[in-house]
Amino acid sequence: MTDTPAGNTQTLTGILAELAIETSRETLTEKARDVAKRLVLDSIACSVAAVDQPACRETLELVRETGGHREATLLAYGGQAAMAQAAFLNSLLIHALDYDDIYPRASLHVCSVLLPCCFAAAQKAGSSGADVLDAIIVGAEVACRLGDACVERRNGLGFLPTTVEGGFGAVAGACRLLGLSAQDTVHGMGLYYAQAAGNRQALADSVLAKRMQPAFAARNAIWAVRLAQQGITGPSRALEGEFGLFRTYYRHDPPLPEALQRPPGDPWRIEHVCIKPYTSCGGCHALIDAALRLAGKHDLDPSEVDHVEIDWGGAGQNAVVGHPFRLEPDPQVSAQFSAPYCVALALVRRTQDIAAFRDEAIRADVDVIEFSRRVRGADCTPARRQPTPEWFPDWYGDPHGVRVFMKDGTVLQEASSLAQVRVKTNDGWHSVSAKWRSCMAFSGLTGHLDADTIIQTIKGLDEAPTLDFLFCSL
């Protein structure tokens, strides 16, 4: 293996495959390995919190009903299933609460697709903990570099980047663990492209299919890898071909090869994957942060509020989370993807606790539901507002604002930014450990799991001969 592979000049998937398979362990930095461990803990925390959330137990029942060889462990519930089925359920658990990590530049939920595939492949191959960390780092590199190339070419919000693009990283990580060659990995990526799908309609309709889509990608990635392992061929020009990803999904010319190559010494992309502080879409997070600070600073009395205006850096709407809250058909999904609801919860209850996003808690909190109807996008037309509101601090690079208009005419305002929010949960082990303990307490599994033991187990993943000791701890 080399520091940075020279790259297969014939195809873009060849470049990514060589990056995944031929990168040497020696070039994977301690910082990258530490971030990978924290993301493992974060993903397990998210899966544990989701055990009783809508769609999860129903999917568990289906996985158990369909049977198959016991190849890979089911997170949170225990037991084993065939690789593809385990990857499907584990991905759902990680993503169900929309609490899982995000790669901000390309809007990718990296680990909800990557980790279930790496876990399944590692158990099949008997891989060491160090091998798994290697695969997570290079798999994230593939997903994020492809995402970086795609983000400037996406022609709208219709396709879901996590599933369309993120699955290539999952294939890369699993192929490395199963010992496939770079050429076989090209076939695996081509076979994944034959299944690549995912869109935002489930999000727009606020239904449970939204949380299932990374699971479809993880399942398809495992199938692609296993088929490639059996000698099945896939298109080598899956990205740049006349019917490849860029021209078919994005109606755009593909990037130059160097866009997907990793320059020697370049920071690993996993170092820029962020742990989320709130169980809602990231598009809400800076607004939530501003609303929580405003409510605390002014000891806000919700009954004295006339209305609230929110904006995203001078934009009065956000196509993903700007819509009003709808109680039906799935309250939790609607709340997670409604900035008016999340801001209302922050201003009225001064919390974003996971328990507040249970279906029954949402239905019962009529005060928050009513208040959310008073939260609306600001009028940011050129005649009313400059692109960045004048009251935002100069140092907010991606400003988000909350303005509360009181009945007595007073206007309270607070700004935040996604960059500021991300600092809070990407401070090393402190925040992710606290998140893990919070998720474990929420799940009700505190009598079965020892929080500190699992943290120490994951910190020592480099030294583990297999993943068995981790799954035994769970």
Side-chain angles (χ1 to χ4, degrees):
M1 290 189 178
T2 60
D3 177 354
T4 301
N8 183 326
T9 58
Q10 295 182 343
T11 71
L12 298 183
T13 50
I15 292 171
L16 295 178
E18 290 182 0
L19 173 59
I21 303 303
E22 299 182 8
T23 296
S24 65
R25 176 173 296 171
E26 291 69 29
T27 66
L28 305 178
T29 62
E30 284 304 312
K31 181 177 180 180
R33 302 184 81 78
D34 189 65
V35 173
K37 293 176 188 177
R38 282 186 267 143
L39 289 170
V40 169
L41 179 61
D42 182 66
S43 297
I44 291 174
C46 293
S47 73
V48 166
V51 289
D52 288 319
Q53 297 311 297
C56 294
R57 286 199 180 274
E58 295 86 344
T59 302
L60 171 66
E61 291 173 8
L62 185 60
V63 166
R64 287 177 171 168
E65 178 186 322
T66 52
H69 292 296
R70 296 180 177 180
E71 297 175 312
T73 298
L74 306 177
L75 295 176
Y77 299 118
Q80 290 192 325
M83 288 176 67
Q85 291 170 304
F88 185 91
L89 178 63
N90 290 342
S91 175
L92 168 62
L93 287 167
I94 292 170
H95 189 60
L97 286 167
D98 216 81
Y99 209 5
D100 52 312
D101 62 85
I102 189 78
Y103 176 61
R105 184 174 181 221
S107 298
L108 296 178
H109 291 276
V110 176
C111 290
S112 60
V113 183
L114 173 61
L115 259 63
C117 293
C118 287
F119 286 166
Q123 288 194 277
K124 180 69 174 178
S127 306
S128 69
D131 291 336
V132 175
L133 292 174
D134 295 347
I136 291 170
I137 295 168
V138 298
E141 192 74 10
V142 167
C144 295
R145 285 194 177 273
L146 179 57
D148 288 344
C150 289
V151 73
E152 297 173 354
R153 293 169 170 81
R154 294 175 192 156
N155 55 357
L157 291 166
F159 290 116
L160 196 64
T162 293
T163 56
V164 173
E165 301 157 20
F168 288 89
V171 169
C175 282
R176 182 178 176 114
L177 287 164
L178 290 170
L180 273 67
S181 67
Q183 186 56 53
D184 287 339
T185 303
V186 169
H187 291 308
M189 290 183 182
L191 289 162
Y192 178 77
Y193 177 58
Q195 310 168 81
N199 57 74
R200 285 191 166 94
Q201 192 56 48
L203 189 159
D205 288 352
S206 299
V207 292
L208 293 172
K210 191 278 165 194
R211 62 186 54 178
M212 310 292 292
Q213 294 195 83
F216 294 132
R219 178 199 63 191
N220 294 347
I222 290 294
W223 268 106
V225 172
R226 297 305 301 277
L227 289 169
Q229 196 175 27
Q230 295 297 316
I232 309 299
T233 56
S236 61
R237 296 182 299 128
L239 298 179
E240 73 271 32
E242 58 269 44
F243 305 110
L245 177 79
F246 288 99
R247 291 190 171 96
T248 298
Y249 282 82
Y250 302 132
R251 305 291 183 185
H252 207 292
D253 289 337
L256 295 174
E258 50 264 34
L260 299 181
Q261 293 168 344
R262 177 181 174 269
D266 204 37
W268 292 97
R269 289 294 192 267
I270 198 168
E271 297 173 19
H272 302 290
V273 176
C274 296
I275 291 170
K276 291 174 70 174
Y278 307 122
T279 178
S280 56
C281 178
C284 300
H285 287 191
L287 295 172
I288 290 169
D289 186 59
L292 288 171
R293 285 195 278 113
L294 187 151
K297 182 188 298 184
H298 299 283
D299 194 20
L300 187 71
D301 181 351
S303 68
E304 296 301 318
V305 174
D306 181 75
H307 70 279
V308 179
E309 288 186 354
I310 55 178
D311 68 50
W312 294 262
Q317 263 309 333
N318 179 294
V320 177
V321 297
H323 55 79
F325 170 73
R326 300 187 299 270
L327 191 58
E328 301 297 345
D330 294 294
Q332 187 180 72
V333 181
S334 183
Q336 289 171 324
F337 291 89
S338 171
Y341 186 89
C342 291
V343 168
L345 180 64
L347 293 175
V348 175
R349 302 297 179 210
R350 304 187 193 182
T351 186
Q352 294 287 303
D353 188 75
I354 316 173
F357 283 86
R358 287 184 182 273
D359 277 350
E360 56 270 28
I362 294 167
R363 292 182 188 278
D365 203 336
V366 294
D367 291 339
V368 171
I369 293 172
E370 187 282 327
F371 193 95
S372 73
R373 299 188 183 111
R374 289 184 265 162
V375 181
R376 57 179 181 255
D379 184 349
C380 293
T381 57
R384 291 291 306 276
R385 179 87 49 91
Q386 294 301 312
T388 300
E390 66 278 1
W391 54 272
F392 279 34
D394 291 338
W395 48 270
Y396 279 97
D398 56 339
H400 292 58
V402 175
R403 303 184 87 190
V404 176
F405 294 78
M406 307 299 290
K407 292 176 180 177
D408 65 5
T410 303
V411 179
L412 310 176
Q413 54 200 28
E414 192 69 42
S416 188
S417 72
L418 292 174
Q420 292 297 306
V421 173
R422 288 168 189 146
V423 166
K424 298 179 180 180
T425 49
N426 293 276
D427 59 351
W429 283 89
H430 175 75
S431 292
V432 70
S433 298
K435 180 176 176 179
W436 157 241
R437 291 187 176 91
S438 172
C439 287
M440 192 174 67
F442 172 73
S443 73
L445 297 176
T446 50
H448 305 281
L449 301 175
D450 184 277
D452 291 333
T453 296
I454 291 169
I455 292 170
Q456 293 307 314
T457 297
I458 293 172
K459 284 185 175 181
L461 202 55
D462 292 280
E463 308 302 323
T466 68
L467 288 188
D468 291 346
F469 84 116
L470 172 60
F471 294 126
C472 287
S473 299
L474 293 169

